[in-house]
């Protein structure tokens, strides 16, 4: 389930059980039902399992500057394309190799196809004459925090996650 703030800003993914508790306690409203939604009975009420719910009151989210980098989030940023050749990426490459002091960070990691990753090995781009197709930036915003912590995204959620997520 996707939980939205009262302002429709995405907050977090949560379990169906927690989502239903919020609905039953009148803390949240359903925005979208799960298309294959099952119906649950609780305290004499009948509820269709939601896919997206929205809080009735606004909650302030503590500001966190850095979005944690995970494999899934990095692949999303790079749209599953190799940063060197544009082919289908299935690995993550450190632009400045770790053996040469490269960091495991948004700015030094790029999605890469296996052949490019293999050819690059522990060399620098300048030694190969390679360039990156796009600059490597750290994504910002609440939808990225959600992306980096959620393995599976419901397509229904994408409209609430902003352009960066689509
Ligand atoms: Zn490649």
């Amino acid at each position: 389930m996707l939980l939205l703030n009262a302002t429709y800003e995405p907050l977090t993914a949560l379990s169906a059980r927690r989502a239903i508790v919020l609905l039953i306690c009148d803390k949240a409203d359903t925005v979208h039902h799960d298309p294959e939604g099952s119906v649950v009975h609780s305290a004499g009420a009948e509820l269709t399992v939601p896919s997206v719910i929205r809080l009735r009151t606004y909650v302030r989210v503590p500001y966190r500057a850095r979005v944690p980098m995970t494999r899934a989030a990095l692949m999303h940023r790079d749209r599953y394309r190799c940063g060197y050749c544009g082919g289908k990426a299935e690995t993550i490459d450190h632009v400045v190799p770790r053996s040469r002091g490269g960091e495991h960070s948004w700015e030094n990691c790029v999605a890469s196809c296996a052949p490019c990753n293999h050819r690059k090995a522990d060399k620098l781009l300048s030694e190969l004459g390679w360039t990156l197709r796009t600059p490597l930036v750290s994504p910002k915003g609440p939808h990225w925090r959600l992306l980096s912590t959620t393995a599976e995204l419901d397509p229904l959620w994408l409209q609430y996650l902003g352009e960066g997520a689509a």
Side-chain angles (χ1 to χ4, degrees):
M1 314 295 124
L2 174 64
L3 178 65
L4 302 176
N5 212 336
T7 51
Y8 286 92
E9 178 191 57
L11 288 176
T12 186
L14 77 175
S15 69
R17 208 180 58 82
R18 280 188 60 204
I20 286 165
V21 167
L22 286 172
L23 291 174
I24 290 174
C25 299
D26 287 332
K27 296 259 193 287
D29 295 305
T30 298
V31 179
H32 283 291
H33 290 291
D34 184 339
E36 298 138 34
S38 37
V39 173
V40 289
H41 299 269
S42 175
E46 208 173 73
L47 271 172
T48 309
V49 174
S51 174
V52 181
I53 64 171
R54 183 172 76 100
L55 288 175
R56 290 192 174 176
T57 49
Y58 179 76
V59 293
R60 195 168 289 282
V61 184
Y63 177 73
R64 244 188 295 161
R66 295 284 289 183
V67 175
M69 193 190 76
T70 59
R71 179 193 161 83
L74 184 91
M75 286 295 183
H76 249 286
R77 182 196 68 178
D78 296 349
R79 292 163 194 271
Y80 293 87
R81 291 282 154 207
C82 174
Y84 304 118
C85 73
K88 193 177 184 303
E90 58 250 333
T91 65
I92 289 171
D93 184 57
H94 292 88
V95 178
V96 176
R98 300 214 83 173
S99 61
R100 296 194 179 188
E103 285 184 350
H104 189 67
S105 66
W106 285 108
E107 291 83 0
N108 192 48
C109 286
V110 66
S112 171
C113 69
C116 284
N117 202 333
H118 185 73
R119 252 182 294 157
K120 184 164 169 299
D122 60 352
K123 298 185 189 70
L124 298 172
L125 294 187
S126 56
E127 295 169 347
L128 291 156
W130 288 10
T131 49
L132 285 164
R133 294 165 62 242
T134 49
L136 306 177
V137 293
S138 172
K140 290 188 178 65
H143 55 270
W144 276 104
R145 216 149 39 219
L146 188 71
L147 276 176
S148 65
T149 52
T150 311
E152 269 180 65
L153 287 176
D154 187 320
L156 263 178
W157 298 3
L158 290 176
Q159 59 187 299
Y160 298 103
L161 297 181
E163 287 172 17

